[in-house]
Amino acid sequence: MTALAGVEISLYDQVNQTRVLFSNMAIRSNHAWFFLPVALVTFAFAYSAVVFESFFWGYLGLMLVWCLIFSLGFGVVISMFPARHAPSQAVISEVDFKWDALILLLGALAILALFYDRYVLRGIDYFSVGSARARELLNEGEFDSSFFSVFGNFFLYCYLFPLIRSVLFWEERGSWANLLVVVLGAVQLGAISYISGGRTAILITLSLCAGALVVRTMLGKPFKPAFFTVGRLFFLLVSVIAAFGFIFWLRSKTFGTGDSFAYFLNICKHLTGGMALSCDFGVESGPLKDVINYLNLVILYGIHGTWLTEEIVQFGWQGGWITPQGLFSLVFSRFGVEAPPSAFSGFWVPGPAALLNDAGFFGVLGIGFGLGAVAGYLVGQLERSSKLFVAYVLVFGVSFWFLSFLIVPTNIPGFVISVWLGLFLAGASLILTLMRKFIQKRLS
């Protein structure tokens, strides 16, 4: 009887442990966010195969390896943290709309300062030449940086932080506060896109908002706020695609005849130059001609790293470096350090392909594993403490991971500046909070 009782207890313990294990696995299913880019990779692979009638297996394989090695690093580190039966709720006492209003005001001043620098000091007439031509004039000219330029460029992306906080803590704020942040953020995003004449700000905003949605699940919240229905999310996606297409339309009017088919051929040949790919899928006439051509351009611009990756996988070193170019142009060049020879300058090369070119396959494995380990540590810390600063850092970490499938994130100046700005605002917030507590203590 005693032996049988022991067997029964042992079986009960095993069943109980299995039940706890599956419970923990269910809670940690929100960690599968790092597999989300696989859907985009699959789309890029399938689309390029259809339009160019060529399969880029090297691209698909490298992206999947990048995803798997990241997940391995993530899994090794996150397993060191005790699994929770339920994600901890965030500490939201620091969510202060007044602070966000001040940051939005600072961002508006930065936009005005940057416009003043370019329109008044540099003499670039946006109203007569247009946004696209103004961008070219800025790149062609030799201008000394002014205070307005430095101030404007550094604080230009202030709107991102109130927007991230609204996504993270949508339920804790009033609807009017959320609406005001979203509207002002959208206005500032539009102004930045107009002044810069590019799509970078839209891409950064989209990736950081996606990162904030992921981090919500780690704070014990649904993936998306109830306000964002499927219909509204679809409308938002269509609006983003339309915004990218509108910028292509502006450029076709400025640098071409305005004919969408001619502009499609021009850009497609530029993106596929030297790759022996035929741009024979544009639409020359018809009622939907412009819509189809500009839509194809939006997709091509987003996925042209597909065949660039294939080129690196098949032929190796491309005669120049890719990963350090953004930091050299943004930081090191200001100290007189000359950038090394570059490869695929002006193109978007996915992070793992750039690493393969610069550091070889073992570099891809090592850095991918390291990024996964860092992400695992941040997720473990957030689930244990739910600190607001850790949540912000993780939002940028998830965004970095998503962007790496399109381009090396450090080669996006706006993304790097946003990281610096975030650290600056966090430090300023800490100092102001300590000063307020000190003053209150002295007056009490």
Side-chain angles (χ1 to χ4, degrees), residues 282-347:
V283 178
E284 192 169 2
S285 62
L288 297 177
K289 165 189 169 183
D290 294 338
V291 174
I292 295 174
N293 286 332
Y294 288 125
L295 178 60
N296 275 321
L297 281 180
V298 171
I299 298 174
L300 285 176
Y301 203 85
I303 70 165
H304 69 268
T306 304
W307 45 91
L308 300 184
T309 299
E310 191 73 19
E311 190 80 1
I312 295 173
V313 170
Q314 289 192 17
F315 302 105
W317 171 255
Q318 297 294 305
W321 298 81
I322 303 174
T323 51
Q325 296 303 325
L327 293 178
F328 268 95
S329 63
L330 194 62
V331 181
F332 300 132
S333 62
R334 302 182 185 278
F335 298 96
V337 181
E338 186 176 351
S342 64
F344 297 125
S345 179
F347 292 90

Side-chain angles (χ1 to χ4, degrees), residues 140-191:
E140 294 170 0
E142 294 290 337
F143 304 102
D144 294 328
S145 294
S146 66
F147 164 79
F148 297 97
S149 175
V150 174
F151 174 84
N153 279 297
F154 185 74
F155 291 103
L156 193 62
Y157 293 97
C158 276
Y159 73 93
L160 289 172
F161 299 93
L163 194 59
I164 291 171
R165 186 140 61 178
S166 282
V167 174
L168 288 176
F169 304 110
W170 189 275
E171 293 82 0
E172 287 78 13
R173 284 184 154 175
S175 57
W176 283 107
N178 285 324
L179 180 62
L180 188 60
V181 168
V182 171
V183 170
L184 291 179
V187 169
Q188 293 190 18
L189 173 59

Side-chain angles (χ1 to χ4, degrees), residues 200-435:
T200 304
I202 301 175
L203 180 64
I204 295 173
T205 305
L206 194 63
S207 68
L208 286 172
C209 286
L213 290 174
V214 169
V215 173
R216 279 176 55 88
T217 66
M218 302 169 193
L219 296 174
K221 298 169 176 286
F223 175 72
K224 63 180 180 62
F227 174 81
F228 292 99
T229 61
V230 174
R232 287 171 177 169
L233 285 175
F234 179 76
F235 173 78
L236 180 62
L237 177 62
V238 172
S239 299
V240 170
I241 295 174
F244 277 98
F246 179 71
I247 294 174
F248 276 117
W249 176 79
L250 287 177
R251 293 196 172 192
S252 71
K253 298 286 286 186
T254 303
F255 302 111
T257 62
D259 180 72
S260 64
F261 179 67
Y263 192 69
F264 163 80
L265 291 177
N266 181 36
I267 298 299
C268 184
K269 290 177 180 178
H270 167 69
L271 294 176
T272 60
M275 304 295 174
L277 299 174
S278 179
C279 299
D280 58 358
F281 52 95
V283 178
E284 192 169 2
S285 62
L288 297 177
K289 165 189 169 183
D290 294 338
V291 174
I292 295 174
N293 286 332
Y294 288 125
L295 178 60
N296 275 321
L297 281 180
V298 171
I299 298 174
L300 285 176
Y301 203 85
I303 70 165
H304 69 268
T306 304
W307 45 91
L308 300 184
T309 299
E310 191 73 19
E311 190 80 1
I312 295 173
V313 170
Q314 289 192 17
F315 302 105
W317 171 255
Q318 297 294 305
W321 298 81
I322 303 174
T323 51
Q325 296 303 325
L327 293 178
F328 268 95
S329 63
L330 194 62
V331 181
F332 300 132
S333 62
R334 302 182 185 278
F335 298 96
V337 181
E338 186 176 351
S342 64
F344 297 125
S345 179
F347 292 90
W348 287 8
V349 181
L355 289 172
L356 183 65
N357 179 81
D358 296 351
F361 187 66
F362 288 105
V364 174
L365 297 181
I367 294 177
F369 185 90
L371 289 175
V374 171
Y377 176 78
L378 290 173
V379 170
Q381 288 293 332
L382 182 63
E383 290 184 340
R384 187 170 66 177
S385 65
S386 294
K387 290 183 179 178
L388 189 58
F389 179 75
V390 179
Y392 268 97
V393 173
L394 191 55
V395 167
F396 275 86
V398 175
S399 174
F400 186 97
W401 170 245
F402 288 163
L403 287 173
S404 72
F405 287 84
L406 291 176
I407 186 175
V408 181
T410 54
N411 284 347
I412 305 177
F415 186 84
V416 177
I417 292 174
S418 298
V419 173
W420 293 345
L421 177 60
L423 294 174
F424 173 83
L425 293 176
S429 175
L430 177 62
I431 292 173
L432 290 175
T433 301
L434 292 175
M435 288 178 61

